[in-house]
Amino acid sequence: MTNPVFIPGPTNIPERIRKACDMPTLDHRSTAFKEILPPALAGVKRILKTETGEAVIFPGSGTGGWEAAISNCLSPGDKVLASDFGMFSRKWIDMCNRHGLDLQVVTAPWGQGLPVDDFATILAADTTHEIKAVLATHNETATGVRSDIAALRAAMDAAGHPALLLVDGVSSIASMDFRMDEWGVDVAVTGSQKGFMLPAGLAIVGISQKAISAMETAKLPRFYFDFRDMLAMNPSAGYPYTPSVGLLNGLKTAIDMLEAEGLENVFARHAYIAEGVRAAVRAWHLPICAASPDLYSDTVTAIVVPNGIDGNALVAHAETRYDTSFGAGLGDVAGKVFRIGHLGVLTEVQALAGIATAEMAMADMGIGVTPGAGTAAAQTYFCKNG
Ligand SMILES: *Cc1c(COP(=O)(O)O)cnc(C)c1O
C-alpha cells in the first residue's frame, strides 16, 4: 500500500485530510460541532455553485445520495426519464425500478454520452408532463464519458418541461466544472471519496428550491435520508442522528484545500493531467472508450484493450505484481477495458508513475505496447504545457 491508487474512487487521501478525519470523540450536540457542520455545508454549496439551493450531508456514499434524491422528490408510480449508457446510470435505473417508479429508459451505446437529442424529443412530446424527473449521470465512471448537462437543461427549457433534473455528479463534482444553479440542477449527488479526497462515508447532496417544494408532496417512504429532518435541524448545526464527525471535519479541510488552490485551478489541473494520460494512451495505439474528444472525462479514462486480452486480468496482474490498482471494466465493458482514474490529489509525478506501471503490466500481459512510449508522450505533453 505504498503506491498511490489509479482508480476512479476512492481516491488518494492527502495527509492533511487524513489527520483532519482522525479526531477524538466530539459531542455533536456541543458547540464545537458548530465549527464543523456549518462551514462544511457552506463550502459544499460553493463547490456545487449554488446560491439558491441547500446542501445536506448524510452518512452514506454516492448511492445513498441517489436514494435520497429519488425518495425525497418522487412518489410511487411517477414517470422518470433515464438513459442506460454505462454501469452507474444503469444502477440508478435499477434503484428506481426497485422503488416502484415508472421508468422510460433510452439505451445508448456505452462510450457515448447522455442522449440529449432523444431526451429532447421525448420531453417535447410529453405535453401532459407525465415525466416527473429526468436522471442524468454527469460523468459515467464506467466508460470515462462526460455528458453535457447544460445542453440537457437547454432541451428541458426548450420543451417547457417542468420535470425535476436529478444529476449524479459523484465522479465529477469537485474535479470537473459543475454549475448547479446555472444548469438548473434540482438534486446534485456526490460522495466523499472521489473529488473530495476523503474516505468513503458521506453522501453529499445539493437540493434546489424546486426540489424542496417537491419534497413536501413526494410519497416515497424515507426516514434516514429525509431531506426535511436535515433541513429543519442543520441551520442550528443540529443533526437528526449521529453524524460522522471526523469525516465532516475532513470535508471542511478538503474544501479549504480545494479553495486554496482555487476551484477553477483544480478543474484545470484535472484537465491537464487527463490530457497527459490520454497522450500516453494515444502513444500506445489503444482506443479510448469515450467515442469522441468532446466526451472525454477529466477524472477517468477507460482504455480499450486488444482483442484476446482480458482487461480485468491486466488489472489483477498490476495489483499482484506491482501493488498498483487500476480500474477494472464494469458491466458491458468488463474485460474489454481497463481504467486509469486521475482525480483527486494526483500530480504529474504520480500520473507518470501510473502510466509507466500500466506499461509494464501491459508488456507482461503480451499487449504490444513499447514500455516508455506512453510515459514519453505524457512527459512531452507535461513539459510543453505545464
Ligand atoms: C462511484 C460512483 C457512484 C457510486 O458511489 P458510491 O459512493 O460507491 O456509492 C455512483 N455514480 C458514479 C458516477 C460514480 O462514479
Side-chain angles (χ1 to χ4, degrees):
M1 300 243 290
T2 42
N3 296 324
V5 293
F6 298 94
I7 52 177
T11 64
N12 301 294
I13 306 173
E15 190 64 11
R16 202 178 138 200
I17 293 182
R18 281 175 56 180
K19 286 188 173 142
C21 294
D22 183 2
M23 291 182 82
T25 302
L26 186 150
D27 175 5
H28 59 279
R29 295 196 175 84
S30 69
T31 50
F33 190 57
K34 290 191 173 32
E35 305 295 317
I36 298 174
L37 183 65
L41 290 170
V44 166
K45 285 173 59 171
R46 291 192 299 274
I47 305 279
L48 294 174
K49 295 188 181 163
T50 183
E51 288 178 1
T52 58
E54 296 293 340
V56 292
I57 307 166
F58 297 101
S61 71
T63 308
W66 283 347
E67 191 148 327
I70 62 173
S71 65
N72 281 280
C73 294
L74 297 167
S75 300
D78 274 356
K79 192 161 179 183
V80 171
L81 177 61
S83 175
D84 173 346
F85 64 109
M87 195 64 196
F88 293 94
S89 48
R90 179 176 288 176
K91 281 177 99 172
W92 204 2
I93 289 165
D94 181 18
M95 176 188 276
C96 288
N97 279 321
R98 293 195 214 178
H99 278 78
L101 296 168
D102 176 14
L103 266 292
Q104 176 165 1
V105 177
V106 180
T107 307
W110 287 29
Q112 294 288 347
L114 189 87
V116 173
D117 292 346
D118 293 332
F119 274 28
T121 307
I122 291 165
L123 291 164
D126 181 34
T127 51
T128 53
H129 301 157
E130 296 302 310
I131 296 167
K132 301 300 176 207
V134 176
L135 303 191
T137 305
H138 182 208
N139 190 71
E140 192 23 281
T141 318
T143 55
V145 164
R146 171 192 353 217
S147 287
D148 190 344
I149 305 300
L152 175 58
R153 167 46 66 197
M156 292 175 74
D157 289 350
H161 205 292
L164 294 164
L165 174 56
L166 313 184
V167 178
D168 172 349
V170 180
S171 62
S172 57
I173 288 168
S175 303
M176 284 159 42
D177 194 17
F178 191 92
R179 307 182 183 195
M180 183 166 161
D181 283 1
E182 191 181 315
W183 297 344
V185 174
D186 291 300
V187 183
V189 174
T190 189
S192 48
Q193 79 280 18
K194 298 197 181 175
F196 284 109
M197 307 168 283
L198 288 155
L202 300 177
I204 299 167
V205 182
I207 319 167
S208 74
Q209 292 302 325
K210 189 167 152 188
I212 289 174
S213 302
M215 125 194 135
E216 300 299 344
T217 51
K219 294 201 170 46
L220 275 176
R222 72 273 193 190
F223 181 87
Y224 195 75
F225 288 132
D226 202 320
F227 288 165
R228 290 169 295 192
D229 299 327
M230 278 292 180
L231 293 174
M233 298 191 72
N234 283 175
S236 55
Y239 215 81
Y241 35 73
T242 316
S244 317
V245 175
L247 287 176
L248 289 167
N249 195 51
L251 178 61
K252 187 181 132 182
T253 304
I255 292 162
D256 283 349
M257 289 173 67
L258 291 165
E259 292 187 328
E261 184 175 352
L263 203 50
E264 305 308 317
N265 296 333
V266 171
F267 300 153
R269 174 169 56 79
H270 280 79
Y272 168 73
I273 298 284
E275 195 49 44
V277 170
R278 290 189 291 260
V281 178
R282 280 185 212 107
W284 295 335
H285 304 293
L286 294 177
I288 290 174
C289 181
S292 53
D294 56 307
L295 298 172
Y296 288 165
S297 164
D298 288 337
T299 59
V300 53
T301 300
I303 299 144
V304 181
V305 296
N307 274 334
I309 300 285
D310 177 358
N312 288 357
L314 170 68
V315 169
H317 174 74
E319 202 261 312
T320 51
R321 171 67 183 85
Y322 299 108
D323 189 23
T324 299
S325 288
F326 296 96
L330 304 173
D332 290 0
V333 292
K336 296 180 186 157
V337 304
F338 80 102
R339 296 174 299 151
I340 299 182
H342 36 79
L343 74 165
V345 280
L346 224 58
T347 62
E348 293 152 315
V349 172
Q350 289 168 325
L352 287 169
I355 291 163
T357 307
E359 287 178 329
M360 290 192 285
M362 286 192 285
D364 295 344
M365 297 297 285
I367 300 179
V369 303
T370 312
T375 308
Q379 287 168 321
T380 304
Y381 176 79
F382 291 145
C383 286
K384 276 198 193 133
N385 297 283

